[in-house]
Amino acid sequence: MDPDSGFEEFYRSSRQRVVTVLYAIGGDLTEAQDAAQEAYVRAWQRWSRISAYDDPEAWVRTVGHRLLVNRWRKVRNSVVAYRRHGPPPAVGPPSENTVALIAALRRLPAEQRHAIVLHHLADLSVAEIAAQTGAPSGTVKARLSRGRKALAALLDVTLPEEVRNA
């Protein structure tokens, strides 16, 4: 038997009622739609079992209601934490160096920029970058070398001897 058998019809015939009930309970249409969508996804994943229930729509409404309650709890906990700890400290504007680096990185070819960011900011090794990007290690090394040289020129920086010879 097809596991999707009857689900589309069930969804079409019950969706509006479920959203309406969740909206009436929660008072927020967007939250009701999100909760209903998640509840229907969960119903679809278990449709072979739920379709045998006397009232599958009641199951979806119950799951949707529980999802709304969980969202309310998260919001409430966030408010409590905010009151307890206060707002996060203000973050100042980026430094001139940061702005210059971002501008220079944007001017690099995407492959070089990707390799440099993964190596220097994410602290990945050449082998890890190669595995993640699907490029050979030699290609990653070349991208790093060319990218460093291009960055140095864009930032008007003199590279140390070991980097120039990399």
Side-chain angles (χ1 to χ4, degrees):
M1 182 177 171
D2 180 15
D4 296 336
S5 175
F7 183 80
E8 278 189 46
E9 178 57 33
F10 165 70
Y11 175 79
R12 275 193 223 106
S13 67
S14 64
R15 181 193 172 281
Q16 190 59 43
R17 282 189 306 274
V18 169
V19 170
T20 301
V21 167
L22 295 176
Y23 179 34
I25 290 171
D28 184 320
L29 180 59
T30 303
E31 288 289 326
Q33 291 169 334
D34 289 348
Q37 180 179 359
E38 178 63 26
Y40 277 108
V41 166
R42 293 179 185 189
W44 177 75
Q45 292 169 337
R46 300 162 178 81
W47 186 242
S48 61
R49 186 179 74 231
I50 293 169
S51 63
Y53 290 178
D54 289 337
D55 190 359
E57 187 176 329
W59 187 92
V60 173
R61 279 192 312 269
T62 301
V63 171
H65 179 254
R66 288 178 183 160
L67 290 166
L68 285 177
V69 169
N70 287 339
R71 289 178 182 165
W72 294 331
R73 284 183 186 139
K74 286 179 184 177
V75 168
R76 184 192 67 212
N77 291 341
S78 296
V79 169
V80 168
Y82 180 82
R83 287 182 183 155
R84 183 179 304 137
H85 301 292
V91 177
S95 70
E96 288 181 27
N97 290 340
T98 300
V99 172
L101 177 61
I102 297 300
L105 282 169
R106 286 182 177 152
R107 293 180 61 192
L108 293 180
E111 296 84 10
Q112 290 176 12
R113 181 175 54 243
H114 196 193
I116 285 175
V117 167
L118 289 177
H119 187 68
H120 293 285
L121 297 179
D123 203 27
L124 297 182
S125 69
V126 170
E128 290 169 325
I129 296 169
Q132 188 171 338
T133 61
S137 293
T139 302
V140 172
K141 290 177 185 177
R143 289 174 181 168
L144 285 170
S145 176
R146 291 181 186 128
R148 286 181 191 126
K149 288 178 184 171
L151 269 180
L154 291 168
L155 296 171
D156 195 28
V157 174
T158 304
L159 291 174
E161 182 68 29
E162 67 268 10
V163 174
R164 281 196 307 256
N165 296 328

